[in-house]
């Protein structure tokens, strides 16, 4: 439970809210809402002002936000209600009472289960490896909040020792390139990943996007959720 008092929405909360605030607690107690939550103030303050104006209570379910609670912005979700606090006997609104529950784990868990279900359904029964990859990346592209980018490559049977770049999600062709490269030829620095793929082993590389003239489709780094 939280109480936001007065036109500046001074923060008071009970112990149950403390884990949701992390490093913002306890310095946030007694401070205005905009100072505590500048990253979400533009979206939430209008809701608080609506309640303060006497327009009644409001609520939201699994409301998405990006909060700085651990030193970085993270995606999180809350179900909450905002209700007016009235001064008797006049009945004028002097603050907002908030009852809230964080639903981040439930929302992300449900979304990721849906992703796995859709991925399995879309790739089952495909006629070729190429079709599996194409359908797989199509599904990946719908869940960029969980998988910001991916690059799918596979080994072609002919010519020998050639890797085909089948599809990508969250990655675009760098400016000045005529089109996305389709293969990595053996015999240069890319021969090693071919060996990794043939052996069914994972491979991590730092300069592959530059070699393929690829870049992230967004300049923003992926969000991190604990």
């Amino acid at each position: 439970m939280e109480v936001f008092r007065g036109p500046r929405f001074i923060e008071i909360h009970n112990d149950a809210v403390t884990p949701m605030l992390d490093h913002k607690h306890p310095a946030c107690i007694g401070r205005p809402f905009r100072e505590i939550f500048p990253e979400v103030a533009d979206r939430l303050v209008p809701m608080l002002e609506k309640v303060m104006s006497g327009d009644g209570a409001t609520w939201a379910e699994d409301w998405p936000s990006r909060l700085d609670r651990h030193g970085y912005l993270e995606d999180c979700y809350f179900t909450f209600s905002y209700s007016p606090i009235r001064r008797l006997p006049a009945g004028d609104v002097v603050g907002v009472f908030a009852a809230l529950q964080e639903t981040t784990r439930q929302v992300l868990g449900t979304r990721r289960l849906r992703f796995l279900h859709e991925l399995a359904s879309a790739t089952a029964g495909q006629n070729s490896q190429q079709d599996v990859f194409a359908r797989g990346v199509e599904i990946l592209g719908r869940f960029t909040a969980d998988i910001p980018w991916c690059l799918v490559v596979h080994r072609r049977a002919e010519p020998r020792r050639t890797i085909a770049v089948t599809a990508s999600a969250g990655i675009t062709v760098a400016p000045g390139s005529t089109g996305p490269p389709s293969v990595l030829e053996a015999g240069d620095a890319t021969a090693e990943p071919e060996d990794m793929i043939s052996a069914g082993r994972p491979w991590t590389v730092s300069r592959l996007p530059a070699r393929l003239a690829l870049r992230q489709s967004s300049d923003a780094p992926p969000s991190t959720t604990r």
Side-chain angles (χ1 to χ4, degrees), residues 86-119:
R86 299 184 181 276
R87 177 166 45 200
L88 299 177
D92 54 319
V93 180
V94 295
V96 178
F97 172 77
L100 67 154
Q101 177 183 11
E102 183 167 2
T103 58
T104 302
R105 289 187 178 182
Q106 297 92 314
V107 171
L108 296 185
T110 299
R111 192 172 70 202
R112 289 165 184 174
L113 283 175
R114 186 170 70 249
F115 159 67
L116 292 174
H117 174 74
E118 290 189 23
L119 183 64

Side-chain angles (χ1 to χ4, degrees), residues 21 23-24 36 39 66-74:
L21 298 174
H23 72 72
K24 293 180 183 289
I36 306 166
E39 63 270 33
R66 301 196 74 197
L67 285 180
D68 176 7
R69 303 186 292 183
H70 308 287
Y72 55 86
L73 288 175
E74 60 177 313

Side-chain angles (χ1 to χ4, degrees), residues 16-226:
V17 178
T18 301
M20 303 180 195
L21 298 174
D22 201 80
H23 72 72
K24 293 180 183 289
H25 175 84
C28 63
I29 297 175
R31 292 174 56 197
F33 186 92
R34 284 192 178 275
E35 292 182 9
I36 306 166
F37 303 105
E39 63 270 33
V40 294
D42 288 344
R43 296 176 63 198
L44 282 178
V45 167
M47 297 175 68
L48 293 168
E49 290 176 339
K50 182 178 179 181
V51 177
M52 282 287 291
S53 71
D55 202 24
T58 188
W59 66 282
E61 183 176 7
D62 295 333
W63 188 82
S65 61
R66 301 196 74 197
L67 285 180
D68 176 7
R69 303 186 292 183
H70 308 287
Y72 55 86
L73 288 175
E74 60 177 313
D75 292 330
C76 47
Y77 297 82
F78 294 89
T79 292
F80 61 87
S81 64
Y82 286 162
S83 304
I85 300 174
R86 299 184 181 276
R87 177 166 45 200
L88 299 177
D92 54 319
V93 180
V94 295
V96 178
F97 172 77
L100 67 154
Q101 177 183 11
E102 183 167 2
T103 58
T104 302
R105 289 187 178 182
Q106 297 92 314
V107 171
L108 296 185
T110 299
R111 192 172 70 202
R112 289 165 184 174
L113 283 175
R114 186 170 70 249
F115 159 67
L116 292 174
H117 174 74
E118 290 189 23
L119 183 64
S121 299
T123 55
Q126 296 297 323
N127 295 323
S128 67
Q129 186 183 66
Q130 180 72 27
D131 290 340
V132 169
F133 289 157
R135 291 290 289 127
V137 170
E138 180 183 333
I139 301 302
L140 289 168
R142 300 177 191 171
F143 293 87
T144 54
D146 295 304
I147 306 169
W149 59 78
C150 71
L151 182 68
V152 179
V153 298
H154 70 97
R155 181 187 180 189
R156 282 184 174 175
E158 295 295 338
R160 190 172 181 273
R161 292 181 63 79
T162 299
I163 303 171
V165 179
T166 306
S168 64
I171 299 178
T172 57
V173 182
S177 303
T178 57
S182 60
V183 295
L184 304 177
E185 297 294 343
D188 60 15
T190 64
E192 183 180 353
E194 194 277 346
D195 295 333
M196 297 294 101
I197 294 172
S198 297
R201 295 165 56 189
W203 175 59
T204 303
V205 66
S206 60
R207 290 181 294 175
L208 182 60
R211 294 172 181 169
L212 299 183
L214 300 175
R215 65 178 176 83
Q216 285 180 224
S217 59
S218 171
D219 292 333
S223 59
T224 304
T225 303
R226 285 190 176 184

